[in-house]
Amino acid sequence: MTADSSPASVTIDRLPEDKQRLYHRAVVLQWITLVHVTVAAVLLYLVLSGSQAMKGAWLDDLIGLIPPIAYLVAGRFDWRRPTARFPYGYHRAQSIAFFWAALTLLLLGVYLVGESLLKLLHREHPSIGMAELFGFRLWLGWLMLGALAFTGIPQVFLGRAKVPIAEQLNDKVLHADADMNKADWLAAGAASVGVVGIGLGLWWADAVAATFIGLEITRDGVQHMRGFTWHLLGETPRSVDYADVLPLPERVESTATEAPWVREARARIREEGRVYFGELFVVTDRDQVEVEAVDALSRRLYELDWRIQDLVVTVVPSLDVDSHLKGRQG
């Protein structure tokens, strides 16, 4: 990859065509999410009343705007070409968006758990009054349940649509946002339980439901913040749900040793946003290695996986030249 001093331009032409279509689909899903969450937040605010679970669902919607906004803003930088000022490109814009998505989940979950436990300790008895609609008086809880259904049901489908795209694009930000969608429909479902509980005279049901929401969101937030921390430290690439270590370094090493002039090889790969940067150290028995042979190996490795964006091939006398090349933790 070469630096260019001209103004950066957004391009995703380095993605395979099928991945470009997936990326455009992800952008459309994020715009749909933004519009839906905005409308849902307004509706929930209009029928908020005194329910703690309803307040949690409303706050969940408000904070739920942050991940898709961060994703769309990062997308304006992510695929810009390298410049003299940023010779490695702008791929870490995705890492910044990942941080905001993970932090959003964590803070929201902690706040809801703390606020709800305080309500339980103080034994607060929330109430839901009456409302007048088109000249008719009705229990406000019915309007609250309708608003919660509008909030939660679409989020189920949005979240499920994002997960397979996130997996194919190696997009942890999109995966974290899918978890935010899950948090939204969990919040709406639990808030519905709380509203019904209040209607039945179970004062504690509302706070218990809000606590359940908070614990689920906190769990996802902790998982993603932990993933972001390891990502920042240059961890070996993992799947978007952090469950598996990806075998990419081993594939790079195996492919390198297929070259007749390579005796040993050791790769170090790290994530930069949704793509990979790294180094490959190779040992050869030959006294001289043609530049063309090294270039051919580099090209073959770039073709190995579309996510490899920057891989430096270096010929060394021994892999012991750097002690941390002796082993790699999984």
Side-chain angles (χ1 to χ4, degrees):
M1 298 173 64
T2 59
D4 182 359
S5 60
S6 62
S9 58
V10 178
T11 174
I12 59 171
D13 57 9
R14 282 171 285 167
L15 279 173
E17 288 189 9
D18 61 323
K19 299 299 186 293
Q20 291 183 35
R21 290 192 293 270
L22 286 171
Y23 176 73
H24 287 304
R25 192 180 305 169
V27 170
V28 170
L29 285 172
Q30 295 298 59
W31 278 110
I32 293 173
T33 300
L34 270 179
V35 173
H36 173 260
V37 171
T38 301
V39 175
V42 172
L43 286 177
L44 289 178
Y45 178 77
L46 293 175
V47 297
L48 201 55
S49 187
S51 167
Q52 180 65 17
M54 282 291 294
K55 182 181 178 182
W58 176 63
L59 286 173
D60 185 65
D61 275 357
L62 284 183
I63 299 180
L65 292 170
I66 296 177
I69 290 174
Y71 188 89
L72 293 170
V73 171
R76 300 300 303 166
F77 294 90
D78 188 23
W79 291 105
R80 288 187 176 186
R81 295 188 181 281
T83 65
R85 183 178 179 183
F86 298 101
Y88 292 96
Y90 296 77
H91 297 290
R92 285 192 177 181
Q94 278 289 312
S95 301
I96 297 172
F98 183 25
F99 167 75
W100 283 110
L103 184 64
T104 295
L105 280 167
L106 181 60
L107 292 181
L108 175 61
V110 171
Y111 170 79
L112 288 179
V113 170
E115 186 79 2
S116 302
L117 289 178
L118 283 176
K119 297 289 184 181
L120 283 172
L121 288 174
H122 293 156
R123 298 178 63 86
E124 295 187 11
H125 291 58
S127 61
I128 299 176
M130 304 295 290
E132 186 168 327
L133 186 65
F134 303 116
F136 296 95
R137 287 182 59 79
L138 73 161
W139 183 51
L140 185 58
W142 296 120
L143 297 180
M144 296 165 74
L145 291 173
L148 288 168
F150 176 83
T151 298
I153 294 174
Q155 296 291 341
V156 176
F157 299 102
L158 285 169
R160 288 183 177 179
K162 291 175 185 178
V163 169
I165 297 176
E167 291 173 347
Q168 294 182 66
L169 287 178
N170 188 41
D171 198 325
K172 289 184 171 64
V173 185
L174 191 63
H175 193 270
D177 189 46
D179 277 346
M180 192 73 210
N181 293 134
K182 184 181 76 172
D184 285 344
W185 67 257
L186 276 174
S192 299
V193 173
V195 170
V196 173
I198 294 173
L200 295 175
L202 304 175
W203 66 269
W204 47 264
D206 182 63
V208 169
T211 302
F212 169 75
I213 298 170
L215 289 173
E216 284 296 309
I217 296 173
T218 300
R219 183 181 62 83
D220 287 337
V222 168
Q223 179 189 27
H224 286 295
M225 280 301 293
R226 183 171 59 239
F228 170 76
T229 302
W230 302 151
H231 172 83
L232 194 64
L233 289 173
E235 182 185 30
T236 293
R238 285 183 173 269
S239 57
V240 292
D241 60 358
Y242 318 109
D244 302 307
V245 176
L246 300 181
L248 186 61
E250 289 77 8
R251 290 176 59 201
V252 169
E253 293 167 0
S254 176
T255 301
T257 54
E258 291 176 1
W261 58 276
V262 176
R263 178 163 59 87
E264 294 180 273
R266 183 64 53 80
R268 296 186 300 187
I269 309 292
R270 69 185 188 278
E271 288 185 318
E272 296 283 344
R274 65 167 64 87
V275 298
Y276 301 140
F277 281 34
E279 302 85 28
L280 175 68
F281 298 88
V282 297
V283 178
T284 180
D285 291 327
R286 300 183 182 183
D287 294 331
Q288 292 183 333
V289 178
E290 297 292 332
V291 173
E292 290 77 9
V294 178
D295 182 64
L297 176 58
S298 295
R299 292 178 181 276
R300 185 176 181 187
L301 294 174
Y302 279 119
E303 294 172 356
L304 190 62
D305 194 303
W306 67 270
R307 294 168 293 186
I308 298 176
Q309 290 289 312
D310 198 321
L311 186 66
V312 178
V313 179
T314 304
V315 180
V316 294
S318 169
L319 294 182
D320 292 334
V321 293
D322 194 338
S323 61
H324 61 264
L325 294 180
K326 295 179 179 177
R328 179 172 54 248
Q329 293 182 347

